[in-house]
Amino acid sequence: MSKKASTLDLLQEIHDLESEFCAGLSTQEKEKPGSYENWSAKDLLGHIVAWNARLADDLQAVADGDTPSREDDYEQENARIFERYQEITWEEMLEFWETTHQRIVERLQDLS
């Protein structure tokens, strides 16, 4: 099996585990607000979405012959991510999660 195929398989396994996590949450858990010190399920998913979006962008940069982004202050970036997604619904977050997953898959498939 090629490295790309192995990576795509692993990515799907991770996505499946995240999906199981989301499916196992009650309505109350999905709607529970969090704080930066105590993230809710939605905050955790927002964190995954944001870093997955960054990964998809970085894969595109590599494909275009550019340098991937670099984050020097992860704590500050995580705080920005936390704030960015506070006003969206669980359903919107799930849509973002699926979209960013698909973007990563497409970018990986495009790499030679």
Side-chain angles (χ1 to χ4, degrees):
M1 180 180 288
S2 72
K3 288 183 182 181
K4 181 166 56 172
S6 295
T7 301
L8 287 165
D9 285 350
L10 181 59
L11 183 63
Q12 187 59 51
E13 285 181 42
I14 293 166
H15 187 71
D16 291 346
L17 289 170
E18 292 168 346
S19 183
E20 288 177 29
F21 167 77
C22 292
L25 295 171
S26 68
T27 302
Q28 182 181 13
E29 289 170 317
K30 292 174 186 176
E31 295 174 356
K32 180 181 177 183
S35 66
Y36 186 70
E37 294 77 23
N38 189 20
W39 288 5
S40 68
K42 188 183 85 167
D43 299 330
L44 176 61
L45 199 56
H47 180 80
I48 292 168
V49 164
W51 287 106
N52 281 352
R54 166 93 43 105
L55 174 59
D57 292 345
D58 287 348
L59 290 170
Q60 185 63 55
V62 169
D64 293 343
D66 296 329
T67 303
S69 64
R70 180 175 170 180
E71 185 59 53
D72 291 325
D73 188 343
Y74 291 99
E75 193 66 31
Q76 186 177 39
E77 183 60 19
N78 285 334
R80 283 192 292 265
I81 291 167
F82 177 83
E83 289 300 321
R84 182 181 313 143
Y85 293 116
Q86 287 305 294
E87 300 302 317
I88 70 167
T89 66
W90 175 260
E91 291 74 22
E92 290 170 316
M93 187 64 79
L94 280 180
E95 187 176 319
F96 292 157
W97 172 69
E98 287 291 350
T99 300
T100 56
H101 170 74
Q102 191 57 42
R103 284 182 58 217
I104 293 171
V105 169
E106 289 168 2
R107 298 306 170 273
L108 284 172
Q109 289 172 335
D110 289 345
L111 293 176
S112 53

